[in-house]
Every structure is written in C-alpha cells, then in structure tokens.
Amino acid sequence: MDFLRWLFEAQIPVGGSALVLREVLGNIFGLLSALGGMRRKVWAWPVGIVGNILLLTVFLGNVFGAAAPATLWGQAGRQVMFIAVAAYGWYRWQQGRQTSTQGRAVIPGWASNKVRLALIGAMFAGTAALTPLFDSLGSYPPVWADAWTFMGSLLATYGMARGWTEFWLIWVAVDIVGVPLLFSAGYYASAVMYLFYGFFTLTGFFVWWRAEKRERGAVQAVAVAAGAVR
C-alpha cells in the first residue's frame, strides 16, 4: 500500500511545475513497446499493457484526485482499448512466431486498397461519432481531437497486430493532432513523448517497408527454388 500511495502521489519537479511520475513511467513503457514493435518482438505487447495501465490512471485525472491537469476521456478510453487490442496482438504474434519457419512473430505486408479505404472511413466516421459522446462526458476541448486520437490509436494498434505496414502512418496522423492537444491540456511529458513518437513512427514505417521487401523476396526465391526442384 505504501508503494501504491507513493506511486500515485510522486511527482518530478521541473522548473516551477511538476510532472506526474506515473505519466513519465507510462510513456517510457510505451516507448519500449514501440521499439519492440519496430523489431517485431512479442514482448512489445505486455510491456505496452503496463504503460497503458499507468497512463489510464493519469488521464482519469479528476477520478484519481486531480493529480493530472485535466481529464481526457478519449485518452483514458484508448488506454482501455490498447489493453484489449494488445491482448489480441500478443496472442496473434505469439501464434505467428510458433508457426513461422523463420521464427518471426509477424511478417510485414501491405493492406489491400479495400482495407485502406475502410481504415480511412472508420477514422473519420469514428471521430464524428465519438466527439459528442466525449463532449457529454466533459472531455478537454477541442473534443474532436480527443476522439481523433482515440480512433487513430485503435486502428493503428489493430493494424500492428495484423502486420500492416501502414499502421505506422496512422500513428503519424494521431501524433499530428494529439501532440497539440496534450500540450494545451497540460500533459507535457506525454506531449513531448508523442512528439518524439512522430519521428520514431516514420523510422518504424521505413524499417517495416524494407523488411517487407526483403522477406517477400526471400519467399519468392524459395518458391522459385522449389519450382526448379520439381
């Protein structure tokens, strides 16, 4: 109990203000999870879940004694969503590693044009549908930005679980809107971390793109060799 009390009350002095320790730790776990995801490591999922739990308590600021600047229902809700989708991704990547001949948890690939259109449509439709809901709950304005980051995070995490290389670009779209929102709401640690994520996700996109071309070429070479043997 003493540890939990310390964890919920601890702050890091910065200049004339302070950062909530749980926010800093949650984002560190999130960064480690992103790094693991770029390297296609199964441990990325459970590490991310730990960060999600910490950040959930942060964004529900008023619920947990107003230690945080403002309550962001979209940001809080997406931590719950992250946990659920991460459990799916953890299972899918674990199964992929067991069945892969190369021991890879996932082989990157491109989504079909139909899937891409569905992702774009879901992004805008979901944002429009969630905005009045988050507004009624008292989320920090502009509420549409909170809804946008929620939907983008949902789609990006699902895309990562499915192994679609485009999921990195969805994260970029989330960061473009989410970083200004977090700064304005006073979540400076998360804002700085997500600003870094923006550059990190671009790197991840190109890493997965190269991996997709390399491993697709290897599969084609094996197919050609098998054909020659026949």
Side-chain angles (χ1 to χ4, degrees):
M1 293 299 295
D2 290 338
F3 172 76
L4 289 178
R5 184 179 297 108
W6 169 81
L7 181 63
F8 272 79
E9 296 177 354
Q11 298 186 6
I12 302 174
V14 178
S17 59
L19 299 176
V20 178
L21 177 62
R22 284 172 288 128
E23 183 182 2
V24 176
L25 291 177
N27 280 291
I28 290 175
F29 276 97
L31 178 59
L32 292 174
S33 177
L35 178 62
M38 185 172 68
R39 298 178 61 195
R40 292 177 285 160
K41 300 295 185 181
V42 176
W43 57 257
W45 297 105
V47 168
I49 289 175
V50 175
N52 298 145
I53 294 173
L54 288 170
L55 290 175
L56 174 62
T57 68
V58 172
F59 291 120
L60 290 176
N62 294 331
V63 178
F64 287 92
T71 299
L72 290 176
W73 288 103
Q75 294 287 340
R78 77 177 189 151
Q79 305 308 319
V80 177
M81 173 273 298
F82 276 145
I83 294 171
V85 181
Y88 165 73
W90 190 356
Y91 169 78
R92 187 178 178 88
W93 281 27
Q94 185 66 38
Q95 291 295 108
R97 186 174 64 178
Q98 293 174 355
T99 59
S100 173
T101 57
Q102 299 177 350
R104 294 288 189 180
V106 64
I107 296 178
W110 297 101
S112 66
N113 290 332
K114 183 178 180 180
V115 170
R116 290 174 182 173
L117 289 175
L119 291 173
I120 294 172
M123 186 76 168
F124 285 96
T127 299
L130 289 174
T131 296
L133 172 61
F134 290 167
D135 187 39
S136 67
L137 292 172
S139 192
Y140 191 83
V143 182
W144 71 265
D146 203 14
W148 175 273
T149 58
F150 179 93
M151 279 306 303
S153 300
L154 169 61
L155 296 174
T157 308
Y158 179 72
M160 177 179 168
R162 294 298 302 270
W164 295 330
T165 305
E166 292 93 337
F167 91 87
W168 293 105
L169 299 181
I170 300 177
W171 275 125
V172 173
V174 169
D175 293 335
I176 290 174
V177 174
V179 169
L181 174 66
L182 291 168
F183 269 121
S184 65
Y187 289 96
Y188 301 115
S190 294
V192 171
M193 188 65 72
Y194 273 78
L195 183 62
F196 175 75
Y197 280 164
F199 298 100
F200 184 86
T201 51
L202 285 176
T203 301
F205 171 74
F206 289 109
V207 168
W208 272 45
W209 188 0
R210 288 194 297 269
E212 187 274 335
K213 291 194 295 184
R214 181 177 63 251
E215 295 182 22
R216 181 181 57 186
V219 170
Q220 291 174 346
V222 171
V224 170
V229 171
R230 291 178 185 174

